[in-house]
Amino acid sequence: RASPLSLLGSQRSQRSRITPNSLGRSNPPSSIGRGTSTDPDDGSGTGGDGPSAKIWGTTVDAKQFRRAAKAFFTEFRDESQDLEQDPYYMQLLEQTLATLEEFVNVDCRHVHSFDADLYSKLVAFPQETIPLMDDVLQSVKDERWPDADPVKIQTRPFNLIKENRLRDLDPSDIDRLLS
């Protein structure tokens, strides 16, 4: 009669038997963390315009985030701006290029008023979304001013809606954008 431990086998032999297919995955390991649906009605929100790529460990679809960030940079207007003027962040980017600075300050209250979902993703996943915003701003700069200096422009988010005191921070706030 076999003991329960001998039926289970050693841990080493169990580990060696685990493969992506034995875990119920049909995707190869290289696609783990990426949604690759091309069905327009799959609920992924891509509308069937190609595969969606969620950033690993987040709910952020990189393609949708880039699209929303580009719309923000190219369309956001402050309440005091006329429709004839360039959008606010296009003017700010032009000033940045004229003064040879390497950053654009992004007011998070502007982001929230333009697109609350974009704001919530920016606050919840700053390590993943701020580099995406940098890339989007760089591509907008390259499209609008192709002959500008090849300096890398970065975004600096500030002015969050919720301000936290240092004593009120929790360990869960370690990966969030705080002010």
Side-chain angles (χ1 to χ4, degrees):
R1 186 161 203 246
S3 71
L5 290 177
S6 65
L7 289 175
L8 291 175
S10 70
Q11 287 182 344
R12 177 176 290 158
S13 64
Q14 282 183 347
R15 282 191 204 129
S16 65
R17 285 185 238 149
I18 296 175
T19 63
N21 290 334
S22 70
L23 292 174
R25 290 189 195 125
S26 60
N27 296 337
S30 63
S31 67
I32 294 172
R34 295 182 156 252
T36 56
S37 174
T38 57
D39 182 17
D41 295 324
D42 65 351
S44 67
T46 60
D49 61 346
S52 67
K54 295 217 187 262
I55 298 171
W56 187 82
T58 71
T59 58
V60 178
D61 183 336
K63 185 184 275 187
Q64 288 179 345
F65 187 86
R66 285 177 186 273
R67 194 177 306 127
K70 184 173 183 177
F72 170 71
F73 287 127
T74 59
E75 298 172 13
F76 177 79
R77 294 182 190 282
D78 200 7
E79 300 91 29
S80 62
Q81 280 187 296
D82 293 330
L83 291 177
E84 295 85 34
Q85 292 179 322
D86 278 344
Y88 182 81
Y89 285 95
M90 297 306 289
Q91 290 179 2
L92 202 56
L93 183 57
E94 189 172 13
Q95 280 180 329
T96 301
L97 293 173
T99 58
L100 300 176
E101 292 179 351
E102 297 179 355
F103 56 86
V104 171
N105 293 323
V106 177
D107 189 337
C108 289
R109 291 181 189 259
H110 290 169
V111 176
H112 186 267
S113 69
F114 185 81
D115 185 348
D117 187 46
L118 182 67
Y119 173 82
S120 65
K121 289 176 181 174
L122 176 64
V123 171
F125 307 109
Q127 291 179 355
E128 295 83 9
T129 57
I130 291 175
L132 287 176
M133 289 186 83
D134 293 347
D135 289 342
V136 168
L137 192 61
Q138 189 69 32
S139 69
V140 167
K141 177 192 85 113
D142 293 340
E143 286 174 10
R144 180 115 182 223
W145 297 281
D147 298 332
D149 288 337
V151 69
K152 174 80 171 142
I153 303 292
Q154 295 182 336
T155 56
R156 294 196 316 190
F158 73 100
N159 199 18
L160 295 179
I161 291 174
K162 180 182 176 192
E163 294 182 8
N164 298 359
R165 293 186 321 196
L166 190 57
R167 290 186 179 259
D168 293 338
L169 297 179
D170 291 326
S172 63
D173 294 328
I174 194 83
D175 289 332
R176 296 180 56 85
L177 189 60
L178 302 170
S179 70

